[in-house]
Amino acid sequence: MNNINSLPATDNKLPEILFITSYPPRECGIATYSQDLVKALNNKFSHSFQLRICALESENEKHTYTNEIKYTLDTDLPGAFTRLVKSINDDPDTRLVMIQHEFGFFAKNEDDFRQFLAALDKPVIIVFHTVLPHPDESLRINVQQLSGIAESIIVMTHSSANILMNDYGVVEEKITIIPHGTHLVPHSDKSLLKDKYKLSGKKVLSTFGLLSSGKSIETTLEALPAIVEKYPDALFLIIGKTHPSVIKQEGEKYRRMLETKVAELQLEPYVRFINNFLPLPDLLEYLQLTDIYLFTSKNPNQAVSGTFSYAISCGCPVISTPIPHAREVLQNDAGIIIDFENSLQLGEAVISLLNDEQLGKRIASNGLHRMASTAWENTAIAHAQLFEKVGNVRISLRYNIPAVNLDHLKKLTTSFGMIQFSRINQPDIKSGYTLDDNARAMIAMCQHFELTRDEADLRYIILYFNFIKYCLQSDGNFLNYVNEQKKFTEQNNVTNLADSNGRAIWALGYLISIGPLLPRELVDDAESVMQKALLNINKIHSTRAMAFAIKGLYYHNTESQSARSTSLISELASRLVQMYRHETDKEWQWFESYLTYANSILPEAMLCAWLATGEPLYKKVAKSSFDFLLSKTFREDRIKVISNKNWLQKEGGLVLPATGGEQPIDVAYTVLALSKFYEVFKDEEYLHKMEISFDWFLGNNHLHQIIYNPCTGGCYDGLEENYVNLNQGAESTVSYLMARLTIEKKFAGANDIILPMATGSTAGLKEHSLQLNRQNQLAGV
């Protein structure tokens, strides 16, 4: 490869962002960081911009790259900077340059580097991976000059931002804090992973990273004798090869010193070197099986550590020396901080955690919640939003649609039904089961089967149906709450179960609506159960229960037309009309004097009632009430559903809803309703809002964080004011899946086309709809 290597021009007009950074196969922390960031950005925003790489090289660092690499820059080569700046300035596709900065990269040619930046006619973002406090005059001027040229600066900790402002005089407005990204992991069973790596029965301590003396691994080795005396089943894993730069300078001197110390302290049975640069999946498994992670860097100026970030995100309790990153992240019982090179403190901390399993779990849980916002998906969102703001790049963010993933739904499902709650992504069988969750799950699996015809879905549809049937009582009513022992709980006697009964009718009606695709005996059984349930349906007066029932009756009628069902729809819809007339006025077009939960169900049910009966009043009420609701939940291209912290009251002056307390189920119901309204009214604004609503799960919310976890296939339980609830229970997971499959169906059914269940872009929904309409016209449909 030449020192400056250009890719051929393409017809793709997406704006191009050039990363100047070290990059794999080069082995260094920033290379790995950049690869992870590029992958995350492409996974989230491949329809928004293109990423290209200029790989940093030197006389001692030459590599063969993939075609991701557009340029290489040999920082030791005279003239290389001049040639690169000309190539970038002459390239109309390159709109933005982002530089991953480490002082060592440019140490031999700092003047050339500064001149290169000054000569660029594209906006520049600089990411400072190291920010040194108390600089001498030369360093201070250097950083000030770099900062002055950059349009924006990224650092990874508040400490680094404060140093830039206080010690270098960089203005706060130029600085953006984006934490080091971390990987989402499935939080696999620790004992199974220990079996896999032949570590069963061990209390695993670990550290990882490219070895150098700065990591001070000897701090742990000197603490081990006291640890293994009390816990002879302890094993310390030292994961990682020696840093390539260290190898070139001194060979394996540091590793040999560690090996000698292990022998001197007679620790051979308690220490294992894994002298490899592990593939990421293997590394993450080692971290998930780790009982305590040890970070012992002796560099007080190390701004950030990706290694302990990864460890925390894998659920490890962490013991760390007090680098600035650790002091920020591990406060408030999210980890244990020890002094630099203090083996006594480290040993005591390890023993305290091994003595108290609950303390370790609490620290791990606190750390995991602290690091949730740093998932690479969220880091990608933060970078993309910055790209939008910088210069005149004119990037329009379009979130990619994740592939459909049923893993967590299936994980929550036993041979009896779907478990109600999870702790993170581990099903909590003690929470039991509910009719609500199993009814929704049956609808979701019917949706999936409709789209895929996957015979494996039938097992789950039948299982959830059998649970619904199990909850049906002899009087035609359903109970909702079932415990781990499959017994109905006392909660059924103290809770209003009207909504649950309505949901069951919705689910049964939906199953019957796809009857031609299902085994006949299953459909007949569902019909029988539904008819029993309908004996009491006109006794229901709960607003949402009536709406759920209308939806079920509507879907039933699409396949099995019944005068009785149509009559029941009219009866229930007329009740809702009376409620609407009682409450509505010029400023308030709603069925109640407040907006609470599952609001979208009500206008959607009225629209279904019109579709079933042809009564124009139902359609009028449906549209006016839905447009009123949308006016209260959409603003500035973002959905903000009514908070469960406080409902929106008619008599409360129409104040805006509280921040936080947003539930995935409310967003999902909005997606379902928007789909139905677009189907009827063909108003592109409904389609646009459908896109915005689904993007809420992907990060378009007030925290700019993912609510759907693409690693597990689960959905987080709620969006609060300052954090995301990481538990992935049945309600949220199934709600997301219903929304995801609604989007899939909306743009797959026009010509009997089944779209691949893969990544797309929500911003392409309108384009896809127009394309299908054109195809229909050409086909004479």
Side-chain angles (χ1 to χ4, degrees):
M1 182 179 287
N2 296 328
N3 296 307
I4 297 176
N5 229 349
S6 298
L7 291 175
T10 70
D11 292 330
N12 195 325
K13 297 304 180 184
L14 288 177
E16 197 170 284
I17 300 170
L18 181 68
F19 279 43
I20 300 179
T21 178
S22 59
Y23 207 75
R26 182 170 178 172
E27 293 173 346
C28 78
I30 293 177
T32 303
Y33 169 91
S34 294
Q35 185 180 52
D36 287 339
L37 177 57
V38 166
K39 181 179 179 182
L41 283 164
N42 281 331
N43 284 343
K44 292 291 289 184
F45 299 109
S46 63
H47 299 277
S48 304
F49 42 72
Q50 285 189 319
L51 302 178
R52 295 288 187 239
I53 311 298
C54 172
L56 295 175
E57 296 196 324
S58 65
E59 290 179 5
N60 296 323
E61 289 283 358
K62 300 288 186 181
H63 302 282
T64 302
Y65 298 98
T66 66
N67 60 5
E68 281 182 289
I69 305 303
K70 186 168 185 174
Y71 309 107
T72 61
L73 173 64
D74 186 335
T75 57
D76 292 339
L77 195 66
F81 287 95
T82 303
R83 291 193 293 275
L84 178 61
V85 77
K86 185 177 187 309
S87 295
I88 296 172
N89 287 344
D90 289 347
D91 184 354
D93 293 334
T94 301
R95 308 289 180 82
L96 176 65
V97 177
M98 184 168 184
I99 298 169
Q100 304 293 335
H101 181 275
E102 183 60 69
F103 290 103
F105 287 159
F106 308 104
K108 293 183 180 179
N109 284 295
E110 287 183 355
D111 289 340
D112 287 344
F113 176 58
R114 281 194 300 273
Q115 290 170 16
F116 162 78
L117 289 180
L120 282 172
D121 61 10
K122 311 293 171 79
V124 174
I125 298 173
I126 296 179
V127 184
F128 281 120
H129 286 259
T130 297
V131 181
L132 298 172
H134 316 300
D136 60 26
E137 186 66 8
S138 174
L139 177 59
R140 185 179 65 81
I141 291 173
N142 183 28
V143 171
Q144 285 179 334
Q145 289 176 336
L146 297 180
S147 302
I149 296 168
E151 191 146 332
S152 186
I153 293 166
I154 294 174
V155 292
M156 299 181 197
T157 65
H158 292 276
S159 174
S160 293
N162 289 332
I163 292 170
L164 279 181
M165 289 186 288
N166 297 331
D167 292 6
Y168 295 90
V170 179
V171 295
E172 183 176 5
E173 293 73 23
K174 187 169 275 194
I175 301 170
T176 299
I177 301 169
I178 304 179
H180 193 296
T182 56
H183 294 279
L184 296 173
V185 297
H187 298 287
S188 303
D189 186 279
K190 198 181 289 279
S191 60
L192 293 178
L193 288 176
K194 287 184 177 180
D195 288 344
K196 176 178 177 178
Y197 290 98
K198 298 179 171 52
L199 295 168
S200 297
K202 298 294 184 182
K203 290 184 168 57
V204 178
L205 319 175
S206 75
T207 193
F208 87 91
L210 294 169
L211 287 194
S212 67
S213 60
K215 292 192 177 294
S216 193
I217 305 296
E218 60 272 19
T219 300
T220 300
L221 296 180
E222 289 163 3
L224 269 182
I227 295 170
V228 301
E229 181 180 0
K230 191 168 180 62
Y231 289 97
D233 54 352
L235 178 68
F236 179 39
L237 302 181
I238 303 171
I239 304 169
K241 62 193 294 186
T242 302
H243 198 293
S245 299
V246 174
I247 291 279
K248 288 166 184 169
Q249 293 172 5
E250 61 179 45
E252 290 284 12
K253 178 181 175 183
Y254 181 63
R255 185 181 296 273
R256 286 197 298 271
M257 183 276 287
L258 295 176
E259 291 170 344
T260 300
K261 186 172 285 288
V262 168
E264 289 173 351
L265 295 173
Q266 299 180 349
L267 293 172
E268 289 94 336
Y270 311 106
V271 178
R272 185 179 300 176
F273 288 88
I274 301 174
N275 187 9
N276 290 302
F277 192 81
L278 291 179
L280 180 64
D282 294 354
L283 173 62
L284 295 178
E285 287 191 338
Y286 269 111
L287 291 176
Q288 288 174 82
L289 65 79
T290 292
D291 294 294
I292 303 173
Y293 185 81
L294 306 173
F295 180 81
T296 53
S297 169
K298 61 183 180 182
N299 178 7
N301 294 325
Q302 181 173 348
V304 68
S305 167
T307 63
F308 93 76
S309 296
Y310 284 14
I312 296 171
S313 68
C314 287
C316 300
V318 170
I319 299 171
S320 174
T321 49
I323 67 166
H325 192 190
R327 292 200 304 269
E328 283 188 22
V329 172
L330 300 184
Q331 58 184 324
N332 300 326
D333 209 16
I336 297 176
I337 292 180
I338 60 169
D339 292 334
F340 293 107
E341 301 182 84
N342 193 321
S343 297
L344 179 61
Q345 287 182 5
L346 187 146
E348 290 172 347
V350 168
I351 290 170
S352 71
L353 287 176
L354 294 178
N355 279 343
D356 189 343
E357 184 178 347
Q358 290 307 309
L359 173 62
K361 287 182 177 180
R362 185 168 68 250
I363 287 176
S365 176
N366 290 343
L368 194 61
H369 283 82
R370 187 72 52 79
M371 297 302 287
S373 63
T374 70
W376 277 116
E377 288 76 5
N378 295 330
T379 299
I381 293 168
H383 279 83
Q385 289 179 323
L386 182 60
F387 298 161
E388 265 191 313
K389 298 173 186 174
V390 168
N392 57 352
V393 180
R394 295 181 184 174
I395 289 172
S396 176
L397 292 186
R398 307 167 67 175
Y399 289 82
N400 290 349
I401 303 176
V404 172
N405 182 348
L406 302 180
D407 287 354
H408 195 55
L409 177 142
K410 293 180 178 180
K411 187 175 184 176
L412 283 164
T413 303
T414 69
S415 60
F416 179 60
M418 172 168 281
I419 297 170
Q420 183 176 192
F421 296 140
S422 279
R423 296 177 184 272
I424 307 298
N425 70 317
Q426 301 304 314
D428 180 9
I429 187 61
K430 289 182 170 48
S431 67
Y433 308 84
T434 68
L435 171 65
D436 291 338
D437 293 328
N438 283 271
R440 283 186 290 258
M442 190 175 80
I443 294 170
M445 290 309 293
C446 285
Q447 288 179 284
H448 191 264
F449 185 67
E450 236 181 321
L451 286 162
T452 66
R453 309 297 197 267
D454 184 349
E455 294 291 326
D457 291 348
L458 292 175
R459 169 177 170 256
Y460 291 91
I461 292 171
I462 293 169
L463 190 151
Y464 300 136
F465 170 71
N466 285 335
F467 186 93
I468 294 171
K469 189 161 66 167
Y470 182 85
C471 293
L472 181 65
Q473 305 302 292
S474 59
D475 62 359
N477 288 312
F478 292 92
L479 297 181
N480 187 42
Y481 301 99
V482 184
N483 66 18
E484 180 183 359
Q485 288 74 39
K486 305 178 185 177
K487 304 293 185 184
F488 292 108
T489 71
E490 181 61 26
Q491 195 171 356
N492 290 293
N493 299 322
V494 296
T495 305
N496 188 327
L497 300 181
D499 284 6
S500 301
N501 278 260
R503 286 188 192 94
I505 291 168
W506 174 23
L508 292 166
Y510 197 91
L511 184 150
I512 292 165
S513 76
I514 65 164
L517 305 178
L518 299 172
R520 187 69 250 168
E521 60 272 19
L522 172 62
V523 180
D524 290 344
D525 203 359
E527 183 71 50
S528 174
V529 172
M530 186 164 183
Q531 292 308 315
K532 290 178 185 175
L534 291 179
L535 294 174
N536 299 310
I537 195 65
N538 57 0
K539 299 175 184 176
I540 289 179
H541 292 274
S542 163
T543 317
R544 281 151 191 79
M546 290 190 290
F548 287 129
I550 289 170
K551 286 187 64 174
L553 290 163
Y554 158 74
Y555 280 111
H556 175 275
N557 268 12
T558 61
E559 182 55 36
S560 181
Q561 186 73 31
S562 158
R564 182 182 177 222
S565 294
T566 304
S567 174
L568 285 170
I569 290 172
S570 295
E571 182 178 350
L572 297 174
S574 294
R575 287 183 196 171
L576 289 176
V577 169
Q578 288 303 112
M579 295 177 71
Y580 178 83
R581 284 173 167 167
H582 182 265
E583 293 295 341
T584 192
D585 58 33
K586 184 178 178 182
E587 300 295 330
W588 187 267
Q589 293 90 48
W590 196 243
F591 305 86
E592 299 160 313
S593 62
Y594 40 75
L595 291 171
T596 58
Y597 65 95
N599 296 300
S600 296
I601 288 291
L602 303 182
E604 185 191 1
M606 293 305 300
L607 196 59
C608 289
W610 171 72
L611 288 168
T613 67
E615 169 54 59
L617 178 59
Y618 299 161
K619 183 180 183 183
K620 180 180 178 181
V621 170
K623 190 168 193 326
S624 61
S625 61
F626 194 46
D627 289 348
F628 169 76
L629 175 63
L630 297 180
S631 74
K632 302 303 176 189
T633 53
F634 281 84
R635 60 188 62 88
E636 297 178 0
D637 278 342
R638 185 180 300 163
I639 187 173
K640 189 179 189 313
V641 293
I642 304 302
S643 170
N644 65 6
K645 290 182 177 179
N646 62 321
W647 307 133
L648 186 61
Q649 303 285 340
K650 177 181 180 181
E651 302 303 327
L654 305 183
V655 295
L656 293 177
T659 300
E662 296 179 58
Q663 303 298 302
I665 192 168
D666 287 312
V667 180
Y669 283 166
T670 304
V671 170
L672 269 61
L674 285 163
S675 174
K676 185 63 71 178
F677 273 78
Y678 176 72
E679 180 183 311
V680 170
F681 293 100
K682 305 302 180 187
D683 184 342
E684 293 290 317
E685 187 59 27
Y686 290 136
L687 198 66
H688 179 55
K689 283 183 164 61
M690 189 175 170
E691 168 197 339
I692 292 171
S693 300
F694 190 75
D695 283 350
W696 180 89
F697 291 101
L698 309 181
N700 186 20
N701 50 62
H702 75 268
L703 289 184
H704 311 297
Q705 292 182 31
I706 56 169
I707 308 300
Y708 169 69
N709 183 321
C711 174
T712 64
C715 180
Y716 298 136
D717 277 353
L719 175 69
E720 301 302 334
E721 183 173 1
N722 300 309
Y723 68 93
V724 173
N725 181 339
L726 298 185
N727 295 325
Q728 297 160 51
E731 177 183 288
S732 54
T733 294
V734 175
S735 294
Y736 166 82
L737 188 60
M738 292 169 74
R740 173 66 182 86
L741 293 169
T742 297
I743 282 181
E744 195 79 18
K745 183 178 180 181
K746 176 58 60 184
F747 303 99
N751 287 315
D752 295 324
I753 297 170
I754 301 299
L755 296 179
M757 294 280 193
T759 300
S761 166
T762 52
L765 297 184
K766 286 186 181 179
E767 298 164 22
H768 199 116
S769 174
L770 293 171
Q771 180 184 12
L772 289 177
N773 287 340
R774 285 194 295 270
Q775 290 174 353
N776 287 341
Q777 291 166 6
L778 290 171
V781 176

